[in-house]
């Protein structure tokens, strides 16, 4: 009888052990991966990219790691996330333009509005390699294909929609279903950016419990996307800074870009004119449709104060992200994980113009813009408010580049990228990397770093070939092979090949046609060479059309 009991006990223990072997064993020294994505951060908002916003923790990572002149994105929140998460262009991932609950079947799989089944996510690929996978923040690739359905073990944030109220704790969820919120602050104590940072630490502590298992943490902040909201005391200290106005600060930032080394050759860079407000309904654009953003000196004092408060709130949001990064770095150092953790930080697109120079209040595109004065001014960014900061500040955030989010000119599709990894980035630490990269490169880069295999099939489905390339050679300041990089978003389109970029705009008060720029000589797209080199335009336009046909646009 005892022999039978011992046999059953041994069998039960074996069963329990086998249930835990869901992931491939990994090498002892496999690196941890922390990816931090900001939302609508401008090209030069970070301190180490020339900005006046206080980001000392991110700056230290940049100064002691690598700063990339550009990582290209896909012009808007959800297409960029799809490209980053899958290593494919947005149409190949199913989010050619935007997420939707009601896709038009006649448009094909590029326009599903959620992730396709013939692609894989970073979560799925790294989980199969044996990584613990954690996601915090904004998902924006549709709740139908939410993080836990697409490879992430744990999730806290919101999985549907492009924005949520930062002050509303009920707007954020914990998954898998049935998980109790480990951090559950009530309204009045809750601020989403800070809670996202706290959850990142919570998940890292959970990961630490699983000795021997490396982790991948994706921290997808919704800051500084509108509604611009932040604690009042954080906003207050920036108010006087932005009372100087966007024209003065653009000049200051341009000077700072030289100081931090981003501008390495002044003949290649120039400070663009104040950008044009995209054409739209007058009431939506603050009656600046198709006109240049106004000079700061042309505004009355009440308007200046209102706008300074909006921008101060945006800056405070970025600072709160930075403080969270500092706490995470401190934890990694305390637990001995810092040197073997690769940290990557970027933004999903350029700064957001929506929709005119004075911004909006309340629901987007309703044409409501409140001029906040007196007590109302101090309420900007507080609980119960919903504001944007407008096109002129967005133009400033993207200094010195042209245009904004939504567009495939550089102000829309060029983001900063910081890569920090003490174990592997040593001799080259502190360098600027000038190679042309794209968010589609993150998948092959992380596969290369972790030894994960990008699959040919997954869950019984054939998987599309990855479009990006590994950036590991750039960690040693080695060049990448030349390849075309493509862009498309709601009518705007572009292709970059080597030094040349052909770009097609939209919503401008002039005839839209292909423009041509030599980015090696004209980084800020100020000298259109299309008439001078028509054969080059024709070649690049044909390449873009071949891409469009291939991905199903």
């Amino acid at each position: 009888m005892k022999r039978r009991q011992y046999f059953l006990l041994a069998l039960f223990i074996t069963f329990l052990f086998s249930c835990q072997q869901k992931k491939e064993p990994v090498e002892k020294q496999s690196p941890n991966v922390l990816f931090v994505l900001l939302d609508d951060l401008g090209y030069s908002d970070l301190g180490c990219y020339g900005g006046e916003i206080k980001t000392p923790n991110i700056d230290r990572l940049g100064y002691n790691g690598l700063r990339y002149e550009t990582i290209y994105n896909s012009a808007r929140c959800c297409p960029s996330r799809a490209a980053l998460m899958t290593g494919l262009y947005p149409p190949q991932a199913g989010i050619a333009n935007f997420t939707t609950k009601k896709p038009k079947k006649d448009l094909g799989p590029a326009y599903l509005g959620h992730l396709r089944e013939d692609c894989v996510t970073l979560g799925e690929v790294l989980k199969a390699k044996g990584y613990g996978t954690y996601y915090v923040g904004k998902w924006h690739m549709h709740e139908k294909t939410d993080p836990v359905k697409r490879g992430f073990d744990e999730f806290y944030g919101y999985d549907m929609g492009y924005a949520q109220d930062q002050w509303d704790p009920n707007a954020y969820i914990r998954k898998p279903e049935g998980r109790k919120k480990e951090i559950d602050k009530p309204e009045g104590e809750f601020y989403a950016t800070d809670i996202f940072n706290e959850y990142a630490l919570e998940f890292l502590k959970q990961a630490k419990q699983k000795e021997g298992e490396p982790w991948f943490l994706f921290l997808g902040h919704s800051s500084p996307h509108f509604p611009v909201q932040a604690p009042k005391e954080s906003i207050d200290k920036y108010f006087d800074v932005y009372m100087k106005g966007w024209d003065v600060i653009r000049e200051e930032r341009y000077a700072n870009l030289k100081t931090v080394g981003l501008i390495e050759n002044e003949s290649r860079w120039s400070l663009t004119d104040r950008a044009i407000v995209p054409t739209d309904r007058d009431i939506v654009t603050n009656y600046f449709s198709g006109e240049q953003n106004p000079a700061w000196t042309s505004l009355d004092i009440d308007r200046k104060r209102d706008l300074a408060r909006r921008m101060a709130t945006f800056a405070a949001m970025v600072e709160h992200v930075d403080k969270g990064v500092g706490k995470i770095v401190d934890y990694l150092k305390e637990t001995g994980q810092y040197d073997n953790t690769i940290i990557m930080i970027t933004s999903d697109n350029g700064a957001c113009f929506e929709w005119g120079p004075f911004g909006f209040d309340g629901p987007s595109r309703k044409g409501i813009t409140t001029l906040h004065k007196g007590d109302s001014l101090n309420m900007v960014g507080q609980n119960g408010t919903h504001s944007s900061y407008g096109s002129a500040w967005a133009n400033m955030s993207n200094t010195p580049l042209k245009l904004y989010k939504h567009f495939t000119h550089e102000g829309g599709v060029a983001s900063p990228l910081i890569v920090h990894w003490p174990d592997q980035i040593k001799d080259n630490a502190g360098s600027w990397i000038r190679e042309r990269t794209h968010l589609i490169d993150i998948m092959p880069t992380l596969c290369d770093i972790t030894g994960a295999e990008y699959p040919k099939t997954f869950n019984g489905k054939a998987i599309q070939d990855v479009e990006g390339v590994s950036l590991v050679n750039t960690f040693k300041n080695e060049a990448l092979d030349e390849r075309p990089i493509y862009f498309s978003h709601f009518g705007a389109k572009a292709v970059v090949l080597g030094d040349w970029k052909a770009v097609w705009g939209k919503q401008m008060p002039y005839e839209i046609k292909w423009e041509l720029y030599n980015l090696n000589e004209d980084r800020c797209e100020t000298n259109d060479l299309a008439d001078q080199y028509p054969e080059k335009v024709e070649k690049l336009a044909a390449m873009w059309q071949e891409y469009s046909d291939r991905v199903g646009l």
Side-chain angles (χ1 to χ4, degrees):
M1 185 66 179
K2 286 186 177 181
R3 183 177 298 175
R4 175 179 171 80
Q5 289 175 332
Y6 286 136
F7 173 78
L8 290 174
L9 178 61
L11 190 63
F12 180 66
I13 292 172
T14 301
F15 170 76
L16 288 178
F17 180 78
S18 67
C19 287
Q20 295 173 354
Q21 306 304 302
K22 296 179 181 179
K23 301 176 181 180
E24 177 187 330
V26 296
E27 298 82 357
K28 187 176 181 180
Q29 296 301 314
S30 294
N32 300 310
V33 180
L34 169 63
F35 200 101
V36 182
L37 184 67
L38 286 90
D39 196 345
D40 289 2
L41 183 80
Y43 183 67
S44 57
D45 280 329
L46 298 175
C48 59
Y49 276 77
E52 67 293 327
I53 301 173
K54 303 301 181 186
T55 55
N57 299 294
I58 293 174
D59 294 347
R60 273 191 292 273
L61 296 174
Y63 292 135
N64 295 302
L66 302 175
R67 284 171 291 169
Y68 286 67
E69 179 181 298
T70 296
I71 185 167
Y72 281 123
N73 59 65
S74 296
R76 207 166 179 189
C77 309
C78 48
S80 288
R81 281 168 172 74
L84 165 57
M85 194 57 60
T86 66
L88 303 171
Y89 286 110
Q92 296 170 301
I95 307 178
N97 283 337
F98 213 71
T99 55
T100 179
K101 291 184 177 181
K102 297 180 180 179
K104 296 179 180 178
K105 294 182 179 180
D106 59 321
L107 292 179
Y111 297 90
L112 279 180
H114 59 78
L115 294 178
R116 288 163 52 164
E117 293 183 354
D118 58 351
C119 68
V120 285
T121 69
L122 291 168
E124 289 166 334
V125 170
L126 293 184
K127 186 173 184 175
K129 179 60 180 171
Y131 274 69
T133 53
Y134 305 87
Y135 197 108
V136 177
K138 173 177 173 176
W139 174 248
H140 204 196
M141 285 170 281
H142 205 285
E143 61 186 354
K144 185 174 182 178
T145 50
D146 74 22
V148 296
K149 294 174 184 173
R150 296 307 304 250
F152 288 90
D153 297 324
E154 306 291 340
F155 170 72
Y156 175 83
Y158 62 102
D159 57 10
M160 193 66 193
Y162 59 80
Q164 294 291 347
D165 189 328
Q166 293 262 347
W167 301 111
D168 180 8
N170 296 317
Y172 304 89
I173 58 175
R174 181 75 168 87
K175 286 189 174 182
E177 296 293 340
R179 287 282 197 274
K180 184 179 179 181
K181 290 182 180 179
E182 295 89 344
I183 303 167
D184 196 12
K185 294 184 179 180
E187 187 172 345
E189 298 176 24
F190 182 97
Y191 176 60
T193 298
D194 290 348
I195 299 298
F196 287 173
N197 291 326
E198 289 184 36
Y199 252 105
L201 285 167
E202 168 63 28
F203 285 164
L204 290 182
K205 291 172 184 175
Q206 293 183 19
K208 190 70 171 64
Q209 303 289 321
K210 303 174 182 178
E211 291 294 342
E213 179 179 273
W215 49 260
F216 167 47
L217 171 62
F218 193 101
L219 176 52
H221 274 288
S222 53
S223 285
H225 192 294
F226 68 80
V228 288
Q229 296 172 318
K232 184 178 180 299
E233 60 274 14
S234 300
I235 300 170
D236 288 344
K237 65 182 179 181
Y238 283 105
F239 179 73
D240 288 341
V241 173
Y242 293 113
M243 278 299 290
K244 291 188 292 187
W246 45 66
D247 293 315
V248 169
I249 297 176
R250 288 183 79 226
E251 295 282 354
E252 291 176 349
R253 281 201 183 187
Y254 190 72
N256 291 342
L257 292 173
K258 302 173 193 177
T259 302
V260 300
L262 178 53
I263 294 181
E264 83 292 13
N265 179 354
E266 284 193 61
S267 66
R268 183 176 172 237
W269 300 75
S270 57
L271 181 59
T272 52
D273 294 334
R274 284 192 306 276
I276 292 174
V277 178
T279 56
D280 206 330
R281 290 180 291 134
D282 283 341
I283 195 171
V284 169
T285 62
N286 310 129
Y287 294 88
F288 279 86
S289 175
E291 298 181 20
Q292 191 179 42
N293 283 295
W296 183 259
T297 55
S298 71
L299 307 178
D300 63 44
I301 189 62
D302 286 335
R303 182 65 68 186
K304 288 177 179 178
R305 287 171 176 158
D306 171 87
L307 288 165
R309 196 75 187 175
R310 292 170 188 261
M311 182 63 208
T313 308
F314 177 99
M317 296 173 82
V318 176
E319 183 174 319
H320 275 257
V321 171
D322 179 78
K323 288 179 178 178
V325 170
K327 292 177 181 178
I328 293 169
V329 167
D330 287 345
Y331 175 78
L332 295 177
K333 289 179 177 179
E334 291 166 7
T335 54
Q337 300 179 82
Y338 179 69
D339 288 347
N340 196 36
T341 297
I342 181 167
I343 302 174
M344 308 178 88
I345 302 174
T346 189
S347 177
D348 58 352
N349 42 247
C352 180
F353 77 94
E354 298 177 22
W355 300 100
F358 304 153
F360 69 83
D361 295 89
S364 180
R365 298 194 59 77
K366 297 295 185 182
I368 301 169
T369 299
T370 302
L371 179 59
H372 299 93
K373 297 188 288 186
D375 292 341
S376 174
L377 184 65
N378 288 326
M379 288 304 296
V380 170
Q382 302 312 292
N383 197 353
T385 66
H386 190 288
S387 304
S388 77
Y389 75 158
S391 56
W393 283 128
N395 182 208
M396 185 278 292
S397 283
N398 287 332
T399 301
L401 304 179
K402 186 175 182 177
L403 293 178
Y404 336 80
K405 170 185 175 179
H406 291 253
F407 291 83
T408 51
H409 288 77
E410 293 293 286
V413 296
S415 291
L417 172 65
I418 292 168
V419 179
H420 181 273
W421 188 11
D423 265 1
Q424 297 297 324
I425 299 175
K426 298 176 181 178
D427 296 340
N428 202 28
S431 298
W432 282 99
I433 305 299
R434 307 288 176 179
E435 296 298 306
R436 305 198 198 289
T437 66
H438 191 284
L439 292 177
I440 58 174
D441 300 332
I442 300 303
M443 171 69 84
T445 300
L446 293 187
C447 285
D448 200 352
I449 288 168
T450 64
E453 182 178 354
Y454 183 86
K456 294 186 179 297
T457 62
F458 190 80
N459 286 341
K461 301 284 185 180
I463 300 301
Q464 301 170 79
D465 292 338
V466 70
E467 290 278 350
V469 300
S470 174
L471 302 181
V472 168
N473 282 350
T474 68
F475 297 175
K476 299 171 283 186
N477 212 7
E478 296 176 1
L480 300 174
D481 292 337
E482 185 174 281
R483 40 91 189 240
I485 298 176
Y486 296 102
F487 308 86
S488 60
H489 185 64
F490 279 116
K493 52 192 176 184
V495 56
V496 172
L497 180 64
D499 293 335
W500 293 94
K501 178 179 180 180
V503 57
W504 182 280
K506 61 180 180 179
Q507 291 181 260
M508 289 290 119
Y510 49 74
E511 180 187 0
I512 303 298
K513 57 183 180 179
W514 282 108
E515 303 164 24
L516 180 70
Y517 301 99
N518 184 323
L519 296 178
N520 190 49
E521 299 175 356
D522 178 22
R523 183 68 185 80
C524 302
E525 301 172 309
T526 60
N527 183 23
D528 182 3
L529 300 173
D531 291 341
Q532 190 172 339
Y533 299 104
E535 71 289 346
K536 197 169 288 293
V537 174
E538 184 177 355
K539 175 187 174 182
L540 292 172
M543 289 178 62
W544 188 90
Q545 189 57 53
E546 289 176 8
Y547 157 79
S548 175
D549 294 340
R550 176 168 67 88
V551 301
L553 289 173

